[in-house]
Amino acid sequence: MATSPSGALPWNMRIQELLKGKGSDVVTVTSDTTVGQLVRTLADHRIGAVLVMDGDTIAGIISERDVVRALPDGVEGLLERPVSTLMTSDVVTCSPGDEVSSLAASMTEHRFRHLPVVQGDKLVGIVSIGDIVKFRLEELQGERDQLESYITS
């Protein structure tokens, strides 16, 4: 994580810096992937959502919540359905230059848990609310350490 000259993590840090720390790997599936295959992918990677890609284009995003929300309509045949029938196709994205603090506010306001990071037309990563929380906790720890050092010196 990048730090300010004082050692604290800046809350106005850009998403690109967050991605440097967490990496830019993104797990994806295609729109014809079955829900059963999706569930296996989520479990194998221990993640909560994947992007649905048509070539290099983001076609949608699908999460474990989307699968759970489909359960009341009946379990029979659900695992054989393509993810395209459950995914969110109107995907909100962010850019590497966006500030972490504004992204956190947007994710909270719009109740997004995962946002793809796009530069131009290219997918460069994905940020989750967990990434934001981890970043904020590290930032608060840095501030606490600074205060403790100041008080004890």
Short mmCIF file of all heavy atoms in Angstrom, two decimals, residues 4 39 46 51 87 104:
data_model
loop_
_atom_site.label_atom_id
_atom_site.label_comp_id
_atom_site.label_asym_id
_atom_site.label_seq_id
_atom_site.Cartn_x
_atom_site.Cartn_y
_atom_site.Cartn_z
N SER A 4 1.42 8.06 2.72
CA SER A 4 1.76 9.47 2.61
C SER A 4 3.12 9.68 3.27
O SER A 4 3.63 8.78 3.94
CB SER A 4 0.69 10.30 3.33
OG SER A 4 0.74 10.06 4.71
N VAL A 39 -21.37 -21.92 -9.55
CA VAL A 39 -21.27 -22.21 -8.12
C VAL A 39 -19.93 -22.89 -7.82
O VAL A 39 -19.26 -22.56 -6.84
CB VAL A 39 -22.47 -23.06 -7.64
CG1 VAL A 39 -22.27 -23.58 -6.23
CG2 VAL A 39 -23.76 -22.25 -7.74
N ARG A 46 -13.12 -19.16 -3.86
CA ARG A 46 -13.51 -18.54 -2.59
C ARG A 46 -13.84 -17.06 -2.78
O ARG A 46 -13.32 -16.19 -2.09
CB ARG A 46 -12.43 -18.74 -1.53
CG ARG A 46 -12.16 -20.22 -1.29
CD ARG A 46 -11.19 -20.44 -0.19
NE ARG A 46 -11.86 -20.03 1.05
CZ ARG A 46 -11.23 -19.82 2.19
NH1 ARG A 46 -9.95 -19.99 2.27
NH2 ARG A 46 -11.89 -19.44 3.26
N LEU A 51 -17.32 -11.89 -13.21
CA LEU A 51 -17.78 -11.15 -14.38
C LEU A 51 -18.15 -12.14 -15.47
O LEU A 51 -17.51 -13.17 -15.62
CB LEU A 51 -16.71 -10.21 -14.88
CG LEU A 51 -16.40 -9.04 -13.96
CD1 LEU A 51 -15.29 -8.19 -14.55
CD2 LEU A 51 -17.64 -8.20 -13.72
N MET A 87 -27.81 -13.10 -14.37
CA MET A 87 -26.81 -12.04 -14.19
C MET A 87 -27.41 -10.65 -14.29
O MET A 87 -28.49 -10.44 -14.87
CB MET A 87 -25.70 -12.18 -15.24
CG MET A 87 -26.13 -11.81 -16.64
SD MET A 87 -24.78 -12.05 -17.81
CE MET A 87 -25.50 -11.30 -19.27
N ALA A 104 -16.09 3.89 -2.25
CA ALA A 104 -16.74 3.33 -1.06
C ALA A 104 -18.12 3.93 -0.87
O ALA A 104 -19.09 3.22 -0.59
CB ALA A 104 -15.87 3.57 0.17
#
